Amino acid sequence: MYRQGDILLLPVDEHAVPAGVTGLPAKPRDNRGRIVLALGEVTGHAHAVVGSGTLFLDPEPTVIGHLKLDAPTRLVHEEHDAISLPKGWYRVVRQREYVPGAVRIVAD
């Protein structure tokens, strides 16, 4: 698994990718050509993939979606070291925290 701040990438075997994932909407790239996995609400910095791939968005708010990388690439962020990622499928999860009476997504 790979973690960068509040983003967790879990490798998924291609045969274990849930049916219908590729039918989910794909997230468009930003104006810099990156696939943004999460945008920091406080800083505006982004956890982003800079290489070839597709992020299929999930309707579940705590699961960002499934990321398919067509080639090895990097996960980058302005405040973290870049992480090299091998080609393949990943489940992208956003860290959550418990507050009395609720579970919420961590604000970055």
mmCIF file of all heavy atoms in Angstrom, residues 4 7 14 25 42 47 54 63 66 99-100 103:
data_model
loop_
_atom_site.group_PDB
_atom_site.id
_atom_site.type_symbol
_atom_site.label_atom_id
_atom_site.label_comp_id
_atom_site.label_asym_id
_atom_site.label_seq_id
_atom_site.Cartn_x
_atom_site.Cartn_y
_atom_site.Cartn_z
ATOM 1 N N GLN A 4 0.135 8.882 1.143
ATOM 2 C CA GLN A 4 0.700 10.221 1.024
ATOM 3 C C GLN A 4 -0.292 11.157 1.714
ATOM 4 O O GLN A 4 -1.390 11.406 1.197
ATOM 5 C CB GLN A 4 0.905 10.620 -0.431
ATOM 6 C CG GLN A 4 1.631 11.945 -0.601
ATOM 7 C CD GLN A 4 1.719 12.332 -2.055
ATOM 8 O OE1 GLN A 4 0.710 12.627 -2.679
ATOM 9 N NE2 GLN A 4 2.935 12.334 -2.588
ATOM 10 N N ILE A 7 -4.207 10.466 1.783
ATOM 11 C CA ILE A 7 -4.575 9.583 0.665
ATOM 12 C C ILE A 7 -3.901 8.227 0.832
ATOM 13 O O ILE A 7 -2.699 8.148 1.097
ATOM 14 C CB ILE A 7 -4.152 10.201 -0.687
ATOM 15 C CG1 ILE A 7 -4.911 11.491 -0.927
ATOM 16 C CG2 ILE A 7 -4.367 9.228 -1.846
ATOM 17 C CD1 ILE A 7 -6.419 11.323 -1.030
ATOM 18 N N GLU A 14 -5.956 -7.068 -10.953
ATOM 19 C CA GLU A 14 -6.892 -6.732 -12.035
ATOM 20 C C GLU A 14 -8.162 -7.583 -11.986
ATOM 21 O O GLU A 14 -9.258 -7.096 -12.256
ATOM 22 C CB GLU A 14 -6.207 -6.890 -13.393
ATOM 23 C CG GLU A 14 -7.056 -6.441 -14.539
ATOM 24 C CD GLU A 14 -6.311 -6.410 -15.861
ATOM 25 O OE1 GLU A 14 -5.113 -6.749 -15.896
ATOM 26 O OE2 GLU A 14 -6.944 -6.019 -16.859
ATOM 27 N N PRO A 25 -18.011 7.103 -13.900
ATOM 28 C CA PRO A 25 -17.434 8.262 -14.597
ATOM 29 C C PRO A 25 -15.940 8.396 -14.325
ATOM 30 O O PRO A 25 -15.476 8.114 -13.223
ATOM 31 C CB PRO A 25 -18.203 9.458 -14.024
ATOM 32 C CG PRO A 25 -18.967 8.959 -12.858
ATOM 33 C CD PRO A 25 -19.007 7.472 -12.924
ATOM 34 N N VAL A 42 -7.451 23.583 2.718
ATOM 35 C CA VAL A 42 -6.788 24.697 3.390
ATOM 36 C C VAL A 42 -5.729 25.334 2.490
ATOM 37 O O VAL A 42 -5.686 26.547 2.320
ATOM 38 C CB VAL A 42 -6.159 24.224 4.727
ATOM 39 C CG1 VAL A 42 -5.390 25.347 5.387
ATOM 40 C CG2 VAL A 42 -7.239 23.680 5.657
ATOM 41 N N HIS A 47 -2.970 16.204 -4.182
ATOM 42 C CA HIS A 47 -2.390 14.879 -4.357
ATOM 43 C C HIS A 47 -2.763 14.507 -5.785
ATOM 44 O O HIS A 47 -3.948 14.422 -6.111
ATOM 45 C CB HIS A 47 -3.008 13.870 -3.378
ATOM 46 C CG HIS A 47 -2.745 14.198 -1.939
ATOM 47 N ND1 HIS A 47 -1.566 13.878 -1.318
ATOM 48 C CD2 HIS A 47 -3.509 14.809 -1.008
ATOM 49 C CE1 HIS A 47 -1.609 14.268 -0.057
ATOM 50 N NE2 HIS A 47 -2.789 14.841 0.157
ATOM 51 N N THR A 54 -6.211 6.502 -15.482
ATOM 52 C CA THR A 54 -7.605 6.939 -15.389
ATOM 53 C C THR A 54 -8.084 6.728 -13.974
ATOM 54 O O THR A 54 -7.843 5.679 -13.376
ATOM 55 C CB THR A 54 -8.503 6.124 -16.348
ATOM 56 O OG1 THR A 54 -7.974 6.212 -17.672
ATOM 57 C CG2 THR A 54 -9.931 6.635 -16.338
ATOM 58 N N VAL A 63 -14.511 6.685 -0.437
ATOM 59 C CA VAL A 63 -13.687 6.010 -1.435
ATOM 60 C C VAL A 63 -13.660 6.931 -2.651
ATOM 61 O O VAL A 63 -14.689 7.190 -3.260
ATOM 62 C CB VAL A 63 -14.264 4.630 -1.828
ATOM 63 C CG1 VAL A 63 -13.415 3.997 -2.915
ATOM 64 C CG2 VAL A 63 -14.366 3.721 -0.622
ATOM 65 N N HIS A 66 -11.323 4.078 -8.153
ATOM 66 C CA HIS A 66 -10.303 3.118 -8.567
ATOM 67 C C HIS A 66 -9.438 3.772 -9.637
ATOM 68 O O HIS A 66 -9.950 4.343 -10.597
ATOM 69 C CB HIS A 66 -10.947 1.842 -9.108
ATOM 70 C CG HIS A 66 -11.459 0.960 -8.020
ATOM 71 N ND1 HIS A 66 -12.648 1.200 -7.375
ATOM 72 C CD2 HIS A 66 -10.925 -0.145 -7.453
ATOM 73 C CE1 HIS A 66 -12.836 0.262 -6.462
ATOM 74 N NE2 HIS A 66 -11.812 -0.557 -6.491
ATOM 75 N N VAL A 99 -15.298 12.075 15.043
ATOM 76 C CA VAL A 99 -15.633 13.158 15.958
ATOM 77 C C VAL A 99 -16.935 12.729 16.627
ATOM 78 O O VAL A 99 -17.710 11.996 16.025
ATOM 79 C CB VAL A 99 -15.798 14.522 15.234
ATOM 80 C CG1 VAL A 99 -14.490 14.995 14.664
ATOM 81 C CG2 VAL A 99 -16.858 14.453 14.165
ATOM 82 N N PRO A 100 -17.182 13.107 17.861
ATOM 83 C CA PRO A 100 -18.391 12.627 18.534
ATOM 84 C C PRO A 100 -19.642 12.765 17.670
ATOM 85 O O PRO A 100 -19.959 13.852 17.194
ATOM 86 C CB PRO A 100 -18.461 13.507 19.797
ATOM 87 C CG PRO A 100 -17.023 13.824 20.075
ATOM 88 C CD PRO A 100 -16.389 13.990 18.703
ATOM 89 N N VAL A 103 -18.441 10.483 11.559
ATOM 90 C CA VAL A 103 -17.154 10.171 10.925
ATOM 91 C C VAL A 103 -17.052 11.135 9.753
ATOM 92 O O VAL A 103 -18.003 11.304 8.991
ATOM 93 C CB VAL A 103 -17.108 8.709 10.430
ATOM 94 C CG1 VAL A 103 -15.833 8.467 9.655
ATOM 95 C CG2 VAL A 103 -17.244 7.744 11.597
#
